[in-house]
Amino acid sequence: MKILVPIKRTHDPNSKIKLKTDGSGIDTSNIKFVINTFDEIAVEEALRKKEEFGGEVVVVSVGTQEWIEQIRTALAMGADRGILVDTGGKYIDQVGIAKILVKIVEEEKPDLVIMGKQAIDDDANQVGQLLAGYLNWPQATFAYKVEVKPNEKKVIVIREVDGGLETVECELPAIITTDLRLNQPRYASLPGIMKAKQKPVKTIKVEELGIDITPRVKIEKLETPPPRKAGVKVKDVDEFIAKLKELKALPF
């Protein structure tokens, strides 16, 4: 079984984010970068399926040469090889990323694509669904549990929905996007880190794919949310209700 895992380079979720003074983007100085949290969960799930059924795990990232660091991290976890689609620093929106991944899927012909449901930097939650639409593959989003049946060419996914869990069955090949509670990603061992240095990482220039990656969405400006006002203490319920009325927080 071949599993393709798209991964994105994002800031460490524990980092304190600062914006550039002109609001054009994030100030990346002194920021640690890691594999996107949900993508790391996807890598772990792919590795578990490889350990269960055999096969190959291929990670792919769309970015600049710096992103090879995160590909190597996935290889150190146990992935077999990596692919970097080098954008040369161009901004590519979710539609463009999905079109790029279509080309990679057509070349690699995986049995399954497992990817994070969203990136923690833009929270778009679009690429998985767009990719499934372009490929006309079945999809299961927000995966809470994944059971693969290679002999039947099926995958059963329990997914989180409002108010409970939903079980869906998809024919392979399929797209799965991972939710936070699917698994706990492993740490890369020292032997794994050493082996990762020898594993192949293929670089493809985005121009070689011959697709239109003109962004349909443009980020005009980023702003930090306004500081929250300090809270107040009230003596009793009556004062609490009066305060809510004063703030027009009640419908009466």
Side-chain angles (χ1 to χ4, degrees), residues 173-194:
I175 309 289
I176 294 174
T177 69
T178 62
D179 214 331
L180 195 62
R181 285 161 288 279
L182 177 59
N183 60 51
Q184 179 64 45
R186 68 193 68 184
Y187 289 104
S189 64
L190 181 57
I193 293 171
M194 299 304 293

Side-chain angles (χ1 to χ4, degrees), residues 146-249:
V146 176
E147 179 184 0
V148 179
K149 297 185 176 182
N151 295 334
E152 301 177 33
K153 293 189 178 299
K154 292 181 179 179
V155 58
I156 297 173
V157 177
I158 300 176
R159 58 190 299 270
E160 296 188 354
V161 296
D162 291 342
L165 301 173
E166 177 183 64
T167 301
V168 296
E169 182 179 279
C170 299
E171 299 287 338
L172 293 177
I175 309 289
I176 294 174
T177 69
T178 62
D179 214 331
L180 195 62
R181 285 161 288 279
L182 177 59
N183 60 51
Q184 179 64 45
R186 68 193 68 184
Y187 289 104
S189 64
L190 181 57
I193 293 171
M194 299 304 293
K195 289 178 182 178
K197 296 178 181 180
Q198 307 302 321
K199 292 180 179 179
V201 177
K202 179 182 179 182
T203 298
I204 303 171
K205 296 290 186 183
V206 71
E207 293 81 10
E208 298 174 20
L209 300 178
I211 58 176
D212 180 15
I213 55 171
T214 304
R216 286 144 173 85
V217 175
K218 180 181 178 182
I219 298 175
E220 295 287 346
K221 189 177 181 181
L222 298 177
E223 295 179 359
T224 56
R228 296 180 62 179
K229 295 181 179 179
V232 296
K233 291 184 178 181
V234 294
K235 293 183 296 184
D236 51 34
V237 173
D238 291 337
E239 185 178 348
F240 175 63
I241 293 175
K243 179 62 69 174
L244 291 178
K245 287 181 178 180
E246 178 186 332
L247 298 173
K248 299 181 178 178

Side-chain angles (χ1 to χ4, degrees), residues 35 40 45 52 58 63 72 76 82 87 108 110 159 182-183 192 196-197 232 240 250:
I35 299 175
E40 190 176 26
E45 193 64 23
E52 185 175 358
V58 183
R72 291 289 181 197
T87 64
E108 292 292 328
R159 58 190 299 270
L182 177 59
N183 60 51
K197 296 178 181 180
V232 296
F240 175 63
L250 292 177

Side-chain angles (χ1 to χ4, degrees), residues 13-231:
N14 296 315
S15 299
K16 185 175 182 180
I17 302 301
K18 295 181 180 180
L19 300 182
K20 295 179 181 178
T21 54
D22 61 359
S24 61
I26 293 173
D27 181 359
T28 58
S29 59
N30 301 318
I31 289 286
K32 179 183 177 182
F33 288 93
V34 296
I35 299 175
N36 174 52
T37 302
F38 293 100
D39 297 344
E40 190 176 26
I41 292 170
V43 173
E44 174 63 29
E45 193 64 23
L47 294 175
R48 294 187 184 190
K49 298 306 178 241
K50 174 191 169 182
E51 291 165 355
E52 185 175 358
F53 302 109
E56 182 183 33
V57 174
V58 183
V59 294
V60 56
S61 204
V62 181
T64 59
Q65 288 295 314
E66 288 84 356
W67 294 42
I68 290 181
E69 178 186 355
Q70 281 64 51
I71 293 177
R72 291 289 181 197
T73 300
L75 297 179
M77 290 173 66
D80 297 282
R81 56 188 175 90
I83 300 170
L84 172 68
V85 179
D86 192 339
T87 64
K90 299 184 184 72
Y91 169 71
I92 302 177
D93 64 7
Q94 286 74 28
V95 171
I97 297 293
K99 287 184 175 181
I100 289 170
L101 293 178
V102 166
K103 291 290 186 179
I104 301 301
V105 167
E106 290 174 348
E107 179 180 338
E108 292 292 328
K109 296 179 173 55
D111 302 291
L112 186 63
V113 175
I114 306 179
M115 58 196 301
K117 69 172 184 177
Q118 65 195 73
I120 63 170
D121 52 4
D122 57 24
D123 279 334
N125 183 20
Q126 294 179 352
V127 176
Q129 293 88 327
L130 287 166
L131 180 60
Y134 287 139
L135 291 171
N136 196 28
W137 283 14
Q139 63 174 313
T141 57
F142 315 127
Y144 173 81
K145 184 178 179 180
V146 176
E147 179 184 0
V148 179
K149 297 185 176 182
N151 295 334
E152 301 177 33
K153 293 189 178 299
K154 292 181 179 179
V155 58
I156 297 173
V157 177
I158 300 176
R159 58 190 299 270
E160 296 188 354
V161 296
D162 291 342
L165 301 173
E166 177 183 64
T167 301
V168 296
E169 182 179 279
C170 299
E171 299 287 338
L172 293 177
I175 309 289
I176 294 174
T177 69
T178 62
D179 214 331
L180 195 62
R181 285 161 288 279
L182 177 59
N183 60 51
Q184 179 64 45
R186 68 193 68 184
Y187 289 104
S189 64
L190 181 57
I193 293 171
M194 299 304 293
K195 289 178 182 178
K197 296 178 181 180
Q198 307 302 321
K199 292 180 179 179
V201 177
K202 179 182 179 182
T203 298
I204 303 171
K205 296 290 186 183
V206 71
E207 293 81 10
E208 298 174 20
L209 300 178
I211 58 176
D212 180 15
I213 55 171
T214 304
R216 286 144 173 85
V217 175
K218 180 181 178 182
I219 298 175
E220 295 287 346
K221 189 177 181 181
L222 298 177
E223 295 179 359
T224 56
R228 296 180 62 179
K229 295 181 179 179

